[in-house]
Amino acid sequence: MYLHHLTVQAFGPFARTEDVDFDDLTQAGLFLLRGDTGAGKTSVLDAVCFALYGTVPGIRPTHRLRSDHAPTDTRTRVVLEFSAAGRHLRITRMPKQTYPSARAKSGTATAEATVQLHERTGTAEDPTWEPICANHQDAAREIEAVLGLSKEQFCQVVLLPQGDFAKFLRSDAKDRAALLRRLFDTQRFQELQNWLTARSKTAKKDLDDVATAVQQLSERIDQEAGPSLQQADNTTAQLVRPDAGHPAGALSWAQQLLARAHDAQTAALEDEESSDQAHQRAKQDHQSAVDLQTRQHQYSQALAQRTALDHQATDHPRLRQQLENGQRAETLRPLLDGLERSALTLQKAQTAENTARGLLEATHAHVEIPQLQTALEQHHAERGRLQGLLPQEEHHAELGTQMAELIKKAEQAQGHHDEATQWLEAWPGLEATHTDRVTAMAKAADQVPQLERDIESLDTQLAAARKRNTLAASLATAQETETKREAEALHAKKDWLDLRERRLDGMAGELAAELNDGQACTVCGSLAHPAPAQLRPDQPTREHEETARALYEQAEASLSQASRTRSELAEQHAQALGTAGSATPDQLESQLQSARAAHKTACEQASNLPSAQEELDRLRHEYDARTRQRQEAQDRLTECHARHKALEQQQHTISLALDTARGTAQTLSDRMNELTRAAEHLASAIDAAQTTATAADHLREAQTTTDRAALDAGFSTRDEAAEALQPAALLQQWREELQQWDNDNAVVTDTLSTPALLEAGAQPPADPQAAAQTLLQAEARLKETAGVSRQARDRLTALTKLVADLEARLRDLEPLQARYALTDRLAGIASATTAANTLTMELEAYVLAARLEEIADAANARLQAMTSDRYLLVHSDEKEAGRRGRLKAGLGLRILDTWTGTERETSTLSGGETFTASLALALGLADVVTQEASGRPLGTLFIDEGFGTLDEQNLQDVMDVLDQLRAGNRTVGIVSHVAELGRRIPSQLSVIKQRNGSTLRPLVSADL
């Protein structure tokens, strides 16, 4: 993979848009990413990782990637152009972020994370970018397919992270195994080991299940057979169930029990057949006894019924005569009932006539029907005359109602007239009061704008006065601080220059301290050093000089900051003084309070002006309405008095005529009701008299007809016929009793003449109870033999199935034993739980150990060059103590010192040696991981920090190794602030730290 161009915007410490052209920067194959601590060197690598994988190294959240210095309307964005696997790609990512909403002035909107992946299809001079995908999942698949590395692998082999060089070297086996497992994805070997263990457990479980099933089947066969089949008798020996360790003996034992079960079933079937024959004979004997007892009982019942029937026949002649007379009189029942109804009707009619005549006047109580009809016609004529006078009476009442309404209207009009008069008398004073109030409020409304301008001016002047006083104190403090920082900077500069001069004076001793026998002098080149200079006791070192210089630069920076602060405060103080003038804040505060009180009073008065004006207009309209109301009320009073007088005259004339017509009644309607009731009484009396005459005629006709019919029916008089008449139900009862006696007599006579009953009556009494007892004994014997037969059949069926299952289980036992032996051996070797695993290493640990050995070999190729063939990394197979030692075995690393020939722990290396060994190990790890992941060579490699621990010779050795990487067509970027690297590496990318955000400045060769 090769980087071509990077663009970051509002990302991390970069507030603006920063561009990096890696093609120019990496022409020499080696470049330096430098800058002050905290400037954002590592953020450049974070941007590369974020563009490729959507996250940054480590566990930092992506929502904190946005720069705190960026404007709110600038969106965070990273664009990376790179090539890999023969493809030239450009990826653009924007994390999830919030920005000011265009719709809501004070609100915000949230933009979700986006990604866009393009591929260049044209030439470099005329590029054409074709879109590939805009989906996070699709982009992740494309990136991993092109690079051949996961994010974890990329961060470990491309972005050799800050502070992680020595972590892998010095970590224990547990942590080393965790990292190797993630990089090489050896989880599949652990899964294989777990699968073998699970298969072994499954095979063992299957084998145990079959053995358990054989044992359970033997127990069930023993239970089904019971003691009866296993006990010895005269012809067979006793059977004993073998133990679980002899499955073949269990099968022979079960087959013998099955044969005995066959014999037991045959004997049980024979017993069942014999008991069934005895039961059939007992059943026939019981049925014969029951039949004889039944016939004997029927014969004795017939004899008793014969005696009862003869006793009932003594009263039958009298009953037959009464039935005959009742049947002849039944034909006269309608005539007798009609005669009785006619007499009752005449009686009711006479009673009703007497009641109706009792309601008439005394003169009409005993007259005949014609005189009653004449009186009725006279009442109808009088009522008709009164009917004609009803409209006059209604008109009289209407006139009274109208006169009452006129009196009420006159009273209302008088009230309205008085009310309007009273209001109009108070109008002049009311009008003057409201007019003065509106005038005052209008004047206050005119004063509000001027008062608002006064308040705004005083408010601004008061704020400026307060700021003026505050800035005056701050300015004095800033001036003191600037003077103090200036003195500190001068002192730091003097200390640095003095220390530098002392070091230069003793430089000969410093150079001589680096001389070794046989090694050329860096000044004269001689291999002999007869009189090397000696270091002074107080000789400063380079570190002392760099420290003093850093203190001086810090003092200069503090002085610059203090000067800028003092200038800004002086400018702000002058502006505040020009606005506030010489007035004190207390004076301005008092004036402001007075202006605000006046403004509040004027606003309160002005706010009531519309309602006051509206109230004045309303009162003026009400004055006009009250004037009209008084005049209208006066007109209504005059009209009501005139109409009331005319209506009163008409009512008096009508009253004279109505008094004569009413008589003693209160109203014409009452008089008409009296006449109506009298006419109704006369009509009722006439109807009742006519009904009585008709009922008397009907009664005489019914008596004549009934007498003639009684003679024809054989009765001398109608009274004799009425006496013979009986209720129809009683006659029906007599007929049924006589008919039932005839039927019972015939049945009994037929029964007593039946030969079978006569024969049964001559025999001794039957005894079915004894026959039933014999039948019960036979049934009990049958049930017992049937139960034994069914039990023998069920036992034979169950034993047949169980023996077949036992044979099948025994056939499965041998292959299961072989499979378990194989899987248990493989699982034990993979899990290092058996002596067959001579290394005592689990499968995954063995693979990880092989990978670590490859990494150590690849690292030694560079470590030898970096350490002048002194150090080598040695892979160790020793186990670490602990419960999980098998997994940790084979993951040890030690250092071989070829100068002494001894091995020692990596923790004994010095700081520079640790960095060198860690860098070699990281480069070897990168080579092995790359080969494992995709086999594609890495075109770009970043090394983050650690060079400050190297001396001149070590640094030169490391740079030689990095030059070898560069010679292999690989670009190496070093992230460091070491000054020596700045002099050695011409191509540089500087990260400049500023108050408003960091910036990037590329320096290529001649730019330095």
Side-chain angles (χ1 to χ4, degrees):
M1 180 194 74
Y2 294 95
L3 304 182
H4 300 296
H5 193 273
L6 174 67
T7 299
V8 294
Q9 176 178 289
F11 182 88
F14 307 109
R16 292 167 292 279
T17 302
E18 304 291 338
D19 294 303
V20 180
D21 191 345
F22 285 104
D23 289 337
D24 292 341
L25 195 64
T26 59
Q27 287 181 356
L30 182 67
F31 70 93
L32 176 66
L33 182 59
R34 64 180 301 180
D36 295 338
T37 301
K41 300 186 295 296
T42 305
S43 295
V44 176
L45 308 186
D46 290 346
V48 173
C49 184
F50 173 72
L52 293 174
Y53 296 98
T55 59
V56 295
I59 58 174
R60 286 170 288 172
T62 56
H63 68 271
R64 291 296 302 159
L65 299 180
R66 178 171 176 78
S67 175
D68 296 331
H69 304 284
T72 56
D73 56 348
T74 301
R75 303 284 291 278
T76 301
R77 180 170 60 96
V78 177
V79 182
L80 178 65
E81 185 180 337
F82 66 98
S83 59
R87 302 173 66 184
H88 195 106
L89 303 173
R90 183 181 68 194
I91 186 167
T92 303
R93 284 191 189 269
M94 298 177 68
K96 182 178 180 181
Q97 53 194 300
T98 59
Y99 58 91
S101 174
R103 298 181 179 179
K105 294 183 178 180
S106 61
T108 60
T110 300
E112 296 297 329
T114 62
V115 61
Q116 294 180 355
L117 183 63
H118 295 77
E119 182 173 6
R120 194 183 74 181
T121 57
T123 62
E125 294 76 13
D126 185 19
T128 301
W129 294 98
E130 296 291 338
I132 298 178
C133 62
N135 178 273
H136 292 283
Q137 289 78 9
D138 296 340
R141 286 193 292 269
E142 286 287 340
I143 293 297
E144 189 162 348
V146 170
L147 299 183
L149 297 172
S150 65
K151 182 233 176 182
E152 182 75 26
Q153 293 171 330
F154 180 84
C155 294
Q156 192 68 37
V157 304
V158 177
L159 309 179
L160 301 183
Q162 176 178 343
D164 283 359
F165 283 0
K167 182 177 180 180
F168 183 71
L169 178 67
R170 292 179 172 176
S171 61
D172 57 15
K174 178 180 179 182
D175 296 336
R176 195 172 290 139
L179 177 61
L180 293 175
R181 185 182 295 115
R182 291 196 304 270
L183 293 178
F184 294 103
D185 191 21
T186 59
Q187 185 64 27
R188 60 187 183 277
F189 297 102
Q190 181 64 40
E191 293 174 356
L192 176 59
Q193 175 182 327
N194 295 338
W195 181 82
L196 288 172
T197 302
R199 290 290 295 175
S200 174
K201 292 180 180 179
T202 302
K204 181 65 169 62
K205 182 178 181 301
D206 294 342
L207 181 61
D208 292 342
D209 289 345
V210 171
T212 302
V214 170
Q215 179 65 18
Q216 291 176 349
L217 287 172
S218 299
E219 293 175 355
R220 291 183 59 190
I221 291 173
D222 188 13
Q223 181 180 2
E224 288 292 341
S228 59
L229 291 183
Q230 303 186 55
Q231 291 177 353
D233 55 21
N234 296 332
T235 59
T236 60
Q238 184 173 358
L239 296 178
V240 179
R241 179 167 64 90
D243 57 20
H246 299 80
L251 180 60
S252 175
W253 164 77
Q255 290 173 344
Q256 293 181 43
L257 288 177
L258 181 62
R260 291 187 178 185
H262 276 287
D263 297 340
Q265 184 192 22
T266 301
L269 288 175
E270 294 176 355
D271 291 344
E272 182 181 10
E273 183 178 0
S274 174
S275 62
D276 182 59
Q277 294 174 357
H279 174 262
Q280 293 297 331
R281 290 192 298 270
K283 188 175 181 181
Q284 292 175 358
D285 294 342
H286 176 264
Q287 186 62 39
S288 299
V290 171
D291 292 343
L292 177 59
Q293 186 183 40
T294 301
R295 291 195 300 272
Q296 289 177 344
H297 180 67
Q298 289 177 352
Y299 184 74
S300 61
Q301 283 185 336
L303 290 177
Q305 193 173 7
R306 173 77 274 168
T307 303
L309 289 175
D310 292 342
H311 178 73
Q312 292 176 359
T314 56
D315 194 40
H316 282 183
R318 180 188 62 79
L319 186 60
R320 292 183 186 278
Q321 183 61 42
Q322 288 181 348
L323 177 61
E324 180 183 357
N325 293 338
Q327 289 175 345
R328 285 188 293 110
E330 187 66 26
T331 59
L332 301 177
R333 182 181 293 276
L335 295 176
L336 293 173
D337 292 343
L339 179 61
E340 184 177 358
R341 286 195 298 273
S342 297
L344 184 58
T345 301
L346 175 59
Q347 183 181 359
K348 290 181 179 180
Q350 290 174 347
T351 303
E353 181 181 1
N354 294 334
T355 302
R357 287 182 178 274
L359 297 175
L360 299 177
E361 298 178 359
T363 56
H364 300 149
H366 302 290
V367 299
E368 298 297 329
I369 293 177
Q371 288 81 2
L372 293 175
Q373 291 177 343
T374 300
L376 178 60
E377 292 174 358
Q378 292 174 353
H379 280 74
H380 284 316
E382 178 63 18
R383 190 177 183 281
R385 187 179 70 83
L386 295 178
Q387 184 76 30
L389 294 177
L390 284 176
Q392 292 294 327
E393 186 178 43
E394 293 176 358
H395 185 53
H396 182 274
E398 291 176 358
L399 290 175
T401 302
Q402 293 176 4
M403 291 168 63
E405 291 178 353
L406 288 173
I407 293 173
K408 184 176 180 181
K409 289 180 179 180
E411 293 175 351
Q412 292 177 350
Q414 185 64 47
H416 291 165
H417 181 273
D418 296 341
E419 180 184 0
T421 301
Q422 183 180 1
W423 193 92
L424 290 172
E425 289 175 353
W427 163 245
L430 190 62
E431 182 182 20
T433 301
H434 282 79
T435 302
D436 295 342
R437 183 185 177 197
V438 169
T439 302
M441 291 180 179
K443 183 178 179 181
D446 295 337
Q447 296 174 353
V448 169
Q450 182 59 41
L451 291 173
E452 289 178 347
R453 289 191 292 271
D454 294 344
I455 291 173
E456 184 178 359
S457 176
L458 289 171
D459 200 4
T460 302
Q461 192 175 358
L462 176 60
R466 291 172 176 170
K467 185 176 182 182
R468 175 199 64 198
N469 295 348
T470 302
L471 290 175
S474 300
L475 180 59
T477 302
Q479 289 173 346
E480 294 177 0
T481 302
E482 183 181 12
T483 302
K484 181 178 179 181
R485 295 292 180 268
E486 185 177 4
E488 292 175 352
L490 290 174
H491 182 71
K493 183 176 182 181
K494 181 178 180 301
D495 291 344
W496 170 51
L497 293 176
D498 292 344
L499 192 65
R500 182 178 182 183
E501 185 176 357
R502 288 168 51 201
R503 181 169 177 256
L504 291 175
D505 292 342
M507 183 59 71
E510 182 177 340
L511 294 175
E514 298 178 357
L515 295 178
N516 294 313
D517 293 337
Q519 183 178 357
C521 177
T522 58
V523 177
C524 62
S526 174
L527 298 177
H529 314 297
Q534 298 297 320
L535 283 174
R536 297 180 180 179
D538 58 345
Q539 174 68 22
T541 64
R542 177 186 299 175
E543 287 76 9
H544 293 155
E545 181 183 353
E546 291 295 333
T547 301
R549 179 182 178 183
L551 292 175
Y552 163 64
E553 291 176 350
Q554 292 177 2
E556 281 290 329
S558 298
L559 175 59
S560 299
Q561 178 64 35
S563 298
R564 287 195 298 270
T565 301
R566 194 265 308 160
S567 298
E568 293 173 357
L569 289 175
E571 181 180 356
Q572 295 173 7
H573 179 266
Q575 293 177 354
L577 181 61
T579 302
S582 59
T584 65
D586 293 339
Q587 294 173 344
L588 295 174
E589 178 71 25
S590 177
Q591 296 175 12
L592 180 60
Q593 294 297 331
S594 300
R596 285 177 176 171
H599 177 265
K600 180 179 180 182
T601 302
C603 288
E604 291 176 352
Q605 291 181 353
S607 64
N608 296 325
L609 178 60
S611 60
Q613 184 63 50
E614 182 179 353
E615 178 65 17
L616 179 59
D617 294 340
R618 187 190 65 77
L619 290 173
R620 287 172 177 171
H621 285 91
E622 186 174 359
Y623 169 76
D624 297 337
R626 295 285 185 174
T627 303
R628 290 193 300 272
Q629 176 184 348
R630 182 172 60 179
Q631 185 59 43
E632 291 173 356
Q634 183 62 44
D635 294 342
R636 286 197 300 271
L637 277 173
T638 303
E639 181 182 0
C640 288
H641 290 157
R643 289 188 60 193
H644 183 273
K645 186 175 181 181
L647 294 176
E648 188 177 12
Q649 183 64 33
Q650 293 180 21
Q651 188 183 41
H652 179 70
T653 303
I654 296 173
S655 295
L656 295 176
L658 292 177
D659 290 342
T660 302
R662 284 195 296 264
T664 59
Q666 294 292 329
T667 63
L668 289 178
S669 296
D670 293 342
R671 178 57 183 161
M672 291 174 64
N673 290 335
E674 291 177 357
L675 293 174
T676 299
R677 285 194 295 272
E680 290 175 353
H681 293 163
L682 288 171
S684 298
I686 293 171
D687 292 340
Q690 290 176 346
T691 300
T692 300
T694 301
D697 294 340
H698 287 168
L699 179 58
R700 286 192 294 272
E701 292 177 359
Q703 288 175 344
T704 301
T705 302
T706 303
D707 290 342
R708 192 165 44 249
L711 292 174
D712 294 340
F715 296 103
S716 59
T717 63
R718 65 171 179 271
D719 294 335
E720 183 181 351
E723 184 179 356
L725 189 63
Q726 300 291 339
L730 182 59
L731 295 177
Q732 180 63 26
Q733 179 182 350
W734 290 345
R735 280 194 296 271
E736 290 176 356
E737 288 181 1
L738 294 173
Q739 182 65 36
Q740 183 64 41
W741 187 91
D742 292 340
N743 294 336
D744 293 343
N745 183 58
V747 171
V748 169
T749 302
D750 183 62
T751 300
L752 291 175
S753 61
T754 301
L757 296 181
L758 291 173
E759 181 182 356
Q763 293 182 7
D767 188 7
Q769 185 173 3
Q773 185 64 30
T774 302
L775 177 60
L776 288 175
Q777 294 175 355
E779 288 178 348
R781 174 59 180 164
L782 177 61
K783 290 178 181 178
E784 179 182 356
T785 56
V788 173
S789 176
R790 182 172 59 255
Q791 182 179 6
R793 183 175 64 253
D794 294 343
R795 179 172 57 193
L796 177 61
T797 302
L799 287 176
T800 301
K801 184 178 183 305
L802 291 173
V803 171
D805 292 343
L806 180 62
E807 292 174 351
R809 288 295 185 180
L810 291 174
R811 285 194 300 270
D812 296 339
L813 192 61
E814 184 176 355
L816 287 175
Q817 290 173 337
R819 184 173 66 181
Y820 170 66
L822 175 61
T823 56
D824 184 61
R825 182 174 183 275
L826 291 176
I829 293 174
S831 302
T833 58
T834 179
N837 188 334
T838 58
L839 297 178
T840 319
M841 295 173 61
E842 294 184 2
L843 178 60
E844 184 183 14
Y846 177 79
V847 175
L848 293 178
R851 289 288 184 266
L852 183 59
E853 189 171 4
E854 294 177 8
I855 293 170
D857 292 341
N860 286 331
R862 296 184 177 89
L863 182 60
Q864 285 181 295
M866 291 182 187
T867 61
S868 302
D869 296 328
R870 178 178 180 181
Y871 292 119
L872 288 175
L873 287 171
V874 179
H875 168 246
S876 174
D877 289 335
E878 294 181 0
K879 294 191 297 181
E880 290 188 5
R883 185 168 54 91
R884 295 289 294 164
R886 293 189 300 274
L887 179 61
K888 299 173 183 178
L891 298 180
L893 281 178
R894 298 174 65 84
I895 285 292
L896 172 63
D897 189 345
T898 59
W899 290 1
T900 62
T902 59
E903 293 183 8
R904 51 193 173 95
E905 298 294 333
T906 57
S907 59
T908 62
L909 295 175
S910 66
E913 292 171 341
T914 298
F915 170 76
T916 303
S918 301
L919 178 59
L921 188 61
L923 294 174
L925 177 64
D927 292 341
V928 175
V929 169
T930 304
Q931 185 63 33
E932 173 73 15
S934 62
R936 302 168 188 161
L938 292 178
T940 304
L941 178 68
F942 289 93
I943 303 175
D944 192 355
E945 291 295 353
F947 293 89
T949 60
L950 302 178
D951 57 20
E952 291 290 340
Q953 183 60 43
N954 291 138
L955 181 61
Q956 182 61 45
D957 293 339
V958 171
M959 294 300 296
D960 291 343
V961 172
L962 296 181
D963 284 337
Q964 295 175 7
L965 295 176
R966 180 173 55 178
N969 197 25
R970 180 182 296 182
T971 298
V972 179
I974 298 177
V975 183
S976 179
H977 57 263
V978 176
E980 182 64 24
L981 290 176
R983 290 189 290 271
R984 288 174 176 266
I985 302 175
S987 296
Q988 300 177 14
L989 178 62
S990 297
V991 184
I992 302 174
K993 179 170 62 174
Q994 298 176 350
R995 290 175 59 87
N996 56 352
S998 299
T999 59
L1000 295 175
R1001 191 181 71 167
L1003 304 172
V1004 181
S1005 299
D1007 296 342
L1008 293 174

